[in-house]
Amino acid sequence: MNVSLNSQGTSKKARAFDALTPDEIQKGVALLKPHIAEDATFISVCLEEPKKQAVQFSLKDEQFPRRLVFVGHDQTEAKVDGGFEAIVDLGNESVELVRIEVGQASINFRDVVSAFQITMADEGWQQAVNKRGVTNLELVHLEPWPAGGALHESIPSGHRAQRVIAFVKEDKTDNPYARPIQGLIAHVDLTDGKLAYLEDHGVVPLPPEGGRYDAASQPKLRETLKSIEISQPDGASFTVDGNYVEWEGFNFQLSMHPTNSLVLHNLCFRDGGENRLILHRAGLSEMVVPYGDIDPMHNWKHVFDAGELSMGTSPHELKLGCDCLGEIYYFSHHGVNWNGEVQTTENAICMHEEDYGLLWKHRDWVTQQTEVRRSRRLVISTIHTVGNYEYGFFWYLYLDGTVQMEVKLTGIVGVSAVESGAERPEFAPLIAPNLASPIHQHLFCFRLDFNIDGPKNTVLEVEAEPLPMDESNPNGTAFRSKVTALDSELDARRDCYPQRSRFWKVVNPNKKNRLGVPVAWKLLPSATPTLLADESSTFGKRAAFAKHNLWVTRFDEGAYNACGKFPNLQHEGGEGLPKWSAQDRNIENEDVVLWHTFGVTHSPRPEDWPVMPVEYCGFMLQPVGFFDRNPTLDVPPNQSCSSDEV
Ligand code: CO
């Protein structure tokens, strides 16, 4: 029977993307352990999502398989990396274990701890630190980074490795990033458990100022801000069943994926009697933070926070009144720690409604009759810390059908200590005395698996085209909508063109609206950069997805990550999107997936220091002839502004 009990003891319908329970994870670990070495460590667990075909066309009450995907390291079995991926089927209790051949499994907590211990214990490193006037090692903060595509020549190929940089704190509560130890990089071989090579570019004095940002460290806190309270006396307008949500026509399931972070599954809109599918799956696919500075402290940095660090395994525990304001519903997340024990994050995903100002308004200028409605949106969000940075992923659903992804970037910028007079503002502007911050990019690639009213869709590029001044356009003012079908995968590597208002429209040619036009949604990009690094560089090869704002591929089951599954370390690139797209398959009237890269090029400001006010980037998805008219005419006026009182 396809019914389980939820924590309230009431029956709950089983759905395709139900979140993993602690019990399922424990069972999965127990089934897996006999197949891996005793000292194996875990990185992540997630649900192997049921096949798309099964989800879209399943019979009512069909039981979806519960298969868990574990990723970890197992160094006894293979002398080098020994990364594994295992699929554990809880139904027939089978285990399929696959050794990772291309790339490496991502870095886990034990790798970080090992890198710390190895660096701290190394005499050469200690001497280099002492040479810089730092004697109390307890005040040294270490930051291990992914080794960046190429290992130092002293580290044998296939080994796991990290590059460790260091900072000094005044005391245990200090912000370590205020005082970077310039010029010192420890190349740590995790496989051999040793510091393989110490890169030392010479002593630069520590910057003079601290960078504390906590309230207690500020000379005075302002007293002018009056409190804002959000209250919904009748409760929220959404309903939740497990991880299934319904709100104002929208319905979906959500999950936290080790690489893809917050994912929306089966996003539908209930339109009259019909539950119409829009997206089968929407989530981050990969992201990269390439540095532009030529300084050897930074010129190798291009972290894939999703694929190299499994960012989705460590969501914040969000706090009411701090991270989120109002009538909040929180989802917890269950994963594994490195030891294979269940790791629960309470309040990992926040969901609430926000008033969003004006929805629409018109005043008849003759009769003075006014109609006005207020907009609101459903916010579903999560926040991750990756070293010095925070990334917040915010999905917004609006009453008029608009879907938005907004990434919020905050935390602390990367830093360099610089001697007075040695500044290089074009590569690393000063943000505080003798403290510079290297120029860099944050590029996010979202995978949008559209299924608008069915699996077969077509992608059109639409832009405004100014027409030449001639007999048919004597005033020289005419412009029109130019529509080009993207018919093959190579044709569909596209870039933004804000001057021409370019966007991409996903249509279902097999389903027409009442005007006889195929129903559609558009992907509305922002004016966003692409990867600035050269195509033939390490960054360019490994982060090929970031060279274009749009890619469209045929749907491939389980192909979620733009750099392939395991981009960590020695992965040279070529996996994932470039490979899939190079097949140049037909994508017209096919099951298509859109991959949208967007982000920011960040030239840091003094105002970004010592902690950075949120910077935003993202995209919108909007219905185009999916509905017959403005779908919000039935939104009632607020009681205080019904039209007869105006
Ligand atoms: Co930045």
Side-chain angles (χ1 to χ4, degrees):
M1 209 172 64
N2 195 25
V3 170
S4 62
L5 292 183
N6 66 17
S7 57
Q8 279 79 44
T10 50
S11 73
K12 161 184 162 322
K13 186 179 182 297
R15 293 185 171 86
F17 306 104
D18 282 343
L20 294 181
T21 64
D23 192 41
E24 287 180 319
I25 296 172
Q26 269 171 3
K27 275 188 197 152
V29 171
L31 288 167
L32 173 58
K33 278 214 158 159
H35 298 265
I36 53 178
E38 219 154 276
D39 68 346
T41 59
F42 290 81
I43 294 161
S44 64
V45 63
C46 66
L47 179 71
E48 186 192 59
E49 294 169 19
K51 296 218 169 1
K52 186 172 183 177
Q53 195 79 359
V55 175
Q56 305 305 346
F57 303 105
S58 72
L59 301 169
K60 232 183 166 184
D61 295 332
E62 184 182 342
Q63 181 77 55
F64 292 102
R66 300 297 284 172
R67 286 159 64 86
L68 278 52
V69 184
F70 289 92
V71 177
H73 306 297
D74 175 348
Q75 294 203 347
T76 320
E77 293 291 318
K79 199 64 198 131
V80 285
D81 171 39
F84 65 82
E85 183 183 41
I87 297 173
V88 179
D89 189 317
L90 295 184
N92 62 18
E93 305 200 335
S94 65
V95 175
E96 296 161 33
L97 192 70
V98 180
R99 294 278 155 198
I100 296 169
E101 303 287 348
V102 181
Q104 292 185 354
S106 71
I107 287 159
N108 71 359
F109 184 67
R110 197 181 73 167
D111 293 330
V112 170
V113 171
S114 302
F116 276 17
Q117 291 169 341
I118 292 164
T119 306
M120 283 282 183
D122 185 85
E123 271 179 33
W125 179 84
Q126 289 173 3
Q127 282 164 14
V129 168
N130 290 342
K131 203 166 70 181
R132 287 161 166 85
V134 181
T135 47
N136 184 355
L137 293 185
E138 283 186 6
L139 296 179
V140 174
H141 168 85
L142 296 179
E143 204 109 318
W145 282 67
L151 297 183
H152 187 264
E153 58 191 17
S154 59
I155 300 175
S157 164
H159 281 203
R160 294 178 66 70
Q162 292 198 294
R163 294 186 190 187
V164 182
I165 56 175
F167 304 81
V168 191
K169 300 189 279 189
E170 274 177 349
D171 60 42
K172 282 196 171 155
T173 66
D174 193 19
N175 170 6
Y177 302 108
R179 295 193 179 87
I181 295 181
Q182 189 65 23
L184 196 61
I185 305 169
H187 294 254
V188 174
D189 182 335
L190 292 167
T191 306
D192 279 352
K194 66 175 191 197
L195 197 156
Y197 181 74
L198 187 64
E199 196 176 327
D200 192 341
H201 298 278
V203 178
V204 175
L206 296 174
E209 281 184 13
R212 291 179 192 260
Y213 49 87
D214 57 305
S217 304
Q218 308 315 311
K220 193 175 185 310
L221 296 179
R222 65 178 78 178
E223 289 162 356
T224 45
L225 286 172
K226 310 299 182 203
S227 65
I228 293 182
E229 304 279 339
I230 311 283
S231 78
Q232 292 187 274
D234 307 323
S237 323
F238 51 77
T239 58
V240 182
D241 179 13
N243 63 355
Y244 172 77
V245 178
E246 290 191 12
W247 179 78
E248 295 302 302
F250 281 110
N251 54 88
F252 57 92
Q253 279 188 281
L254 53 78
S255 73
M256 181 69 73
H257 184 274
T259 313
N260 309 148
S261 181
L262 183 52
V263 177
L264 302 184
H265 302 272
N266 253 352
L267 181 72
C268 299
F269 198 95
R270 206 173 292 285
D271 184 18
E274 199 188 349
N275 198 32
R276 301 173 64 187
L277 185 57
I278 303 162
L279 282 153
H280 174 67
R281 192 180 192 279
L284 177 73
S285 141
E286 187 52 270
M287 60 171 289
V288 66
V289 188
Y291 280 60
D293 195 353
I294 51 171
D295 182 340
M297 282 302 282
H298 303 289
N299 64 6
W300 46 273
K301 289 179 177 174
H302 63 298
V303 184
F304 299 85
D305 292 300
E308 283 185 322
L309 300 173
S310 293
M311 179 173 64
T313 59
S314 56
H316 284 199
E317 286 202 353
L318 301 169
K319 281 210 182 82
L320 187 61
C322 306
D323 295 292
C324 332
L325 210 53
E327 196 69 31
I328 307 290
Y329 187 92
Y330 286 114
F331 298 87
S332 333
H333 170 66
H334 306 292
V336 275
N337 66 12
W338 62 274
N339 211 11
E341 290 153 353
V342 175
Q343 178 174 285
T344 296
T345 309
E346 307 287 353
N347 299 359
I349 300 168
C350 165
M351 184 169 76
H352 68 284
E353 292 175 285
E354 268 178 10
D355 180 276
Y356 198 62
L358 197 60
L359 173 60
W360 52 262
K361 179 170 190 173
H362 183 61
R363 179 164 62 196
D364 183 310
W365 64 274
V366 177
T367 66
Q368 295 292 302
Q369 190 186 351
T370 302
E371 291 286 335
V372 55
R373 302 292 185 273
R374 288 204 70 75
S375 175
R376 71 168 78 181
R377 61 187 185 185
L378 183 69
V379 184
I380 310 127
S381 68
T382 190
I383 302 176
H384 306 282
T385 295
V386 186
N388 49 315
Y389 246 84
E390 264 73 20
Y391 296 106
F393 296 102
F394 286 65
W395 284 109
Y396 301 125
L397 309 181
Y398 293 81
L399 292 177
D400 71 349
T402 298
V403 175
Q404 184 185 359
M405 163 46 61
E406 183 174 73
V407 182
K408 299 190 184 186
L409 299 88
T410 181
I412 303 180
V413 291
V415 286
S416 275
V418 286
E419 291 191 80
S420 303
E423 298 93 351
R424 299 168 303 118
E426 74 274 34
F427 287 118
L430 279 182
I431 53 168
N434 299 105
L435 190 70
S437 181
I439 193 165
H440 59 277
Q441 297 187 289
H442 303 261
L443 296 164
F444 305 88
C445 180
F446 268 70
R447 178 183 180 276
L448 304 166
D449 182 359
F450 276 96
N451 266 51
I452 300 169
D453 283 333
K456 302 262 170 148
N457 291 170
T458 293
V459 185
L460 309 175
E461 181 169 278
V462 184
E463 65 193 38
E465 182 185 41
L467 297 177
M469 200 161 168
D470 57 18
E471 302 90 73
S472 66
N473 177 27
N475 298 335
T477 53
F479 57 93
R480 65 181 175 190
S481 203
K482 181 183 158 197
V483 180
T484 314
L486 304 179
D487 47 23
S488 78
E489 288 173 318
L490 284 175
D491 276 349
R493 298 177 174 186
R494 306 298 298 163
D495 296 314
C496 292
Y497 191 179
Q499 294 87 341
R500 293 285 167 94
S501 305
R502 181 179 286 176
F503 64 87
W504 296 285
K505 197 157 100 175
V506 188
V507 307
N508 183 338
N510 317 298
K511 170 91 185 270
K512 307 257 166 57
N513 61 22
R514 69 183 181 124
L515 306 174
V517 178
V519 296
W521 281 68
K522 69 175 173 183
L523 163 58
L524 191 59
S526 55
T528 186
T530 49
L531 180 72
L532 294 166
D534 193 276
E535 214 168 310
S536 61
S537 67
T538 308
F539 296 11
K541 283 187 202 151
R542 299 184 78 217
F545 70 85
K547 282 310 252 183
H548 295 292
N549 294 121
L550 182 80
W551 305 63
V552 185
T553 60
R554 240 354 142 88
F555 169 83
D556 288 314
E557 197 71 61
Y560 301 141
N561 305 329
C563 289
K565 268 190 200 166
F566 303 108
N568 193 23
L569 291 177
Q570 293 164 85
H571 193 314
E572 288 166 4
E575 291 299 310
L577 259 189
K579 204 173 186 175
W580 302 325
S581 159
Q583 297 171 79
D584 202 23
R585 292 168 287 188
N586 170 51
I587 49 170
E588 262 191 300
N589 202 13
E590 286 290 348
D591 189 355
V592 293
V593 177
L594 278 71
W595 308 74
H596 176 39
T597 301
F598 62 91
V600 294
T601 299
H602 190 184
S603 181
R605 311 170 294 159
E607 290 85 349
D608 291 334
W609 181 254
V611 65
M612 186 182 131
V614 168
E615 185 153 350
Y616 304 88
C617 57
F619 62 88
M620 310 259 260
L621 307 175
Q622 290 183 316
V624 184
F626 183 80
F627 299 112
D628 284 338
R629 57 181 63 75
N630 180 342
T632 63
L633 298 181
D634 61 348
V635 172
N638 269 16
Q639 277 177 343
S640 57
C641 58
S642 58
S643 58
D644 52 5
E645 287 172 26
V646 176

